[in-house]
Amino acid sequence: MKQSPMSSSNHTSNGNASVLPLENGFSDSLSLLNSEKAVEELSQQPLLHGIDDHLIEFAEALRTVAKALRQAAEGKASAQAEAAEWKRKYELERSRILHLERKVSSEEHLIKEGRVVPLSNQTVLSDGAPEQSERCCGENGICSHEVLRDGECDRDASAFPNKMIRKASFKLSWCCKGEKSDQKKHDVVSFEKGNITTAERSSKQISLKWESPPQTVLILTKPNSTAVRMLCSEMVRWLKEQKSLNIFVEPRVRTELLTESSYYQFVQTWENDNEVLRLHTKVDVVVTLGGDGTVLWAANMFKGPVPPIVPFSLGSLGFMTPFYSEHYKEYLDSILRGPISITLRHRLQCHVIRDAAKSDLETEEPILVLNEVTIDRGISSFLSNLECYCDNSFVTCVQGDGLILSTTSGSTAYSLAAGGSMVHPQVPGILFTPICPHSLSFRPLILPEHVTIRVQVPFNSRGHAWASFDGKDRKKLAPGDALVCSMAPWPVPTACQSDSTSDFLHSIHEGLHWNLRKTQSFDGPRET
Ligand SMILES: NC(=O)c1ccc[n+]([C@@H]2O[C@H](COP(=O)([O-])OP(=O)(O)OC[C@H]3O[C@@H](n4cnc5c(N)ncnc54)[C@H](O)[C@@H]3O)[C@@H](O)[C@H]2O)c1
Ligand SMILES: Nc1ncnc2c1ncn2[C@@H]1O[C@H](COP(=O)(O)OP(=O)(O)OP(=O)(O)O)[C@@H](O)[C@H]1O
């Protein structure tokens, strides 16, 4: 039997609309929309003879209340999204200032201590002769920017003598395939002390040219693999003996190497998380030995700028690992010499905002993902119910198993399995892919890189939702909690074997056997 608007689930048995405010003063906007619709329908029904004007007035009043409540709920959502965006900007600014402060204090320390560098015992000092600096801007050689614009970095670094080298400096420039000369290339992506920050244009082939030789390599390895362990010890020995590099590994790997032989005493590691946070100031190149999971692991270690990663394939699939381990010497030789093609893989920055937080600015530490953040129903048997906003606009309400917000690098991972499109990793965008939506018309979306997406668990949700980040670190989202997600300012630069496009196409052909089909034979029916 068709329900009349007054008997729909949004209305109580005595006919009163159930748009009563919940704990936070707002009802969820979907039920508000429904209430508004119900009131609308009610007022449009032909009036039965004898129904007095009070009912019309009552419907009018209800419509006004429902509209006001919806506007208030939308207002709160957009204010929270804005607050999260401001927090992100504030954190960026704060980390920039901290970085500058650290730089100044280490300069002072250097002068006081007679050129002793306090950062670490691996820091390479100038050997008395004036050294070139990686600093390329600012009156006194101190870079004061995070993002350089075209050509700003073209100044001769030798204009700043007497500088020590902590990290190898390099230059990034756009280049066109097959173009031999450097003439038409120009800088559009910059770095400060080797930390890469993306400028606005990021969709062309990017070439990395060392301005001073790389000196420190971090090797990250997949655990529990004999093949990986053997390759790691061989590579460490080769890099030390043939390339005279400083080598960092994880504490677990250093122990493994030392168990193998005391020869590996020179290998360095770290002791605590604070040191991990500063690794990017020491490491020129990161080498990963494993599958895609090891590349995700490497990216996750760097909460800010990421040094270039050279991913060797020792896994089963390897979408992000184009280098074959058996040829590691030739590859590393050419990478350490440069120039190399790189793919700047965008990451998403995710903030969980708790309803219980005292203010909208009180968010948990942001989490950076290289593949995707997934919001799903976890162990709950109820449909997940997620309200999604893009900037200030309502997108949709996801009712199904959940939602994947993916980077373009992650487009070949979980998002693909959920029906999302495969996207070239250098295309800047955010994939919005539902997981088993309970609606025939819910197709995946790709949104532009600059938007902020907010996924809210409504107060009337039957269950909790769960967020997971690159398939790890599950966090429970209670009704009222939200996840706010936008493009992170620190991409992950991965070295290409050939170039970004060839590597991508090779990975979908080899990894997925994409569109593999036997060709039709010639001897069949033909058009006349
Ligand atoms: N149904 C699914 O396809 C599904 C389900 C859960 C997680 N995942 C993916 O697994 C990722 C975590 O990877 P892991 O190695 O730590 O876990 P894992 O060991 O469970 O491996 C997951 C698989 O996904 C592949 N993979 C990872 N990133 C990829 C990418 N960017 N493109 C193509 N394939 C990729 C890996 O090679 C691996 O084969 C998550 O970020 C998620 O994308 C996929
Ligand atoms: N350095 C590391 N320390 C701890 N865990 C790691 C490290 N590197 C990778 N892992 C984890 O080990 C698991 C397997 O890694 P990875 O995906 O690289 O190997 P794989 O499964 O053999 O390759 P593929 O994913 O291509 O099949 C992943 O869950 C990853 O998070």
Side-chain angles (χ1 to χ4, degrees), residues 292-293 296 316-320 371-372 409-410 412-414 417 470-472:
D292 295 318
L296 296 175
S316 66
L317 257 187
F319 271 75
M320 296 189 280
N371 266 354
E372 78 284 287
S409 287
T412 44
Y414 197 4
D470 283 343
K472 298 209 162 28

Side-chain angles (χ1 to χ4, degrees), residues 447-466:
L447 296 163
E449 64 180 322
H450 54 80
V451 299
T452 298
I453 298 171
R454 176 187 177 81
V455 180
Q456 172 93 42
V457 183
F459 287 100
N460 68 348
S461 173
R462 290 189 181 181
H464 292 102
W466 292 82

Side-chain angles (χ1 to χ4, degrees), residues 202-215:
S202 55
S203 50
K204 292 187 208 161
Q205 189 56 53
I206 296 163
S207 170
L208 181 153
K209 197 170 175 180
W210 298 109
E211 289 186 318
S212 58
Q215 291 160 350

Side-chain angles (χ1 to χ4, degrees), residues 6-24:
M6 288 302 278
S7 65
S8 79
S9 60
N10 281 328
H11 296 76
T12 55
S13 54
N14 65 4
N16 290 331
S18 64
V19 286
L20 295 173
L22 299 174
E23 305 115 86
N24 72 341

